[in-house]
Amino acid sequence: EMRGLTPFGVNDLAVLRASREYVSAFEAGRDPSQVVAKALGVVSLEGLSPAQRVYSEKVRAKLEENALKLRGRALEATRLYNKGIFAYSKGMYDDSVKWLQAALESI
């Protein structure tokens, strides 16, 4: 069963960090497979045991899925934040607070 970005029984912080590292690697043009290897506790995918090798594709798929979700959330939060700043600059303070709160909640 899944909740948010992580499956039950998994360290949420470790998955979030690995997902962010996956995004960073992808955006920087680096090979995200190194992030998968690190998430599985090895230096490179060549160092995987047979059981880890089978599991590594599932880990890669989950990290990629999480990376897409994180990028989408960040883009939405930025859009809402910009609306809040614009409303503030026009003196619409109540609207500004609503947009900025929505930006925080979207992350």
Side-chain angles (χ1 to χ4, degrees), residues 29-95:
R30 296 189 322 259
D31 183 7
S33 68
Q34 297 303 316
V35 177
V36 174
K38 184 178 175 184
L40 291 169
V42 296
V43 177
S44 72
L45 293 179
E46 289 78 38
L48 294 177
S49 70
Q52 286 175 316
R53 202 170 293 284
V54 171
Y55 190 62
S56 68
E57 183 54 30
K58 291 181 182 181
V59 171
R60 186 209 55 78
K62 185 61 182 169
L63 291 177
E64 186 172 318
E65 176 187 329
N66 288 352
L68 292 173
K69 287 179 184 177
L70 288 172
R71 287 189 75 208
R73 288 181 185 174
L75 291 173
E76 177 65 7
T78 301
R79 186 183 70 77
L80 295 169
Y81 172 81
N82 288 337
K83 284 189 172 198
I85 296 301
F86 179 78
Y88 185 86
S89 73
K90 298 297 181 185
M92 301 182 314
Y93 304 116
D94 290 338
D95 288 341

Side-chain angles (χ1 to χ4, degrees), residues 20-35:
R20 286 185 176 162
E21 286 180 34
Y22 193 93
V23 169
S24 296
F26 182 78
E27 289 177 346
R30 296 189 322 259
D31 183 7
S33 68
Q34 297 303 316
V35 177

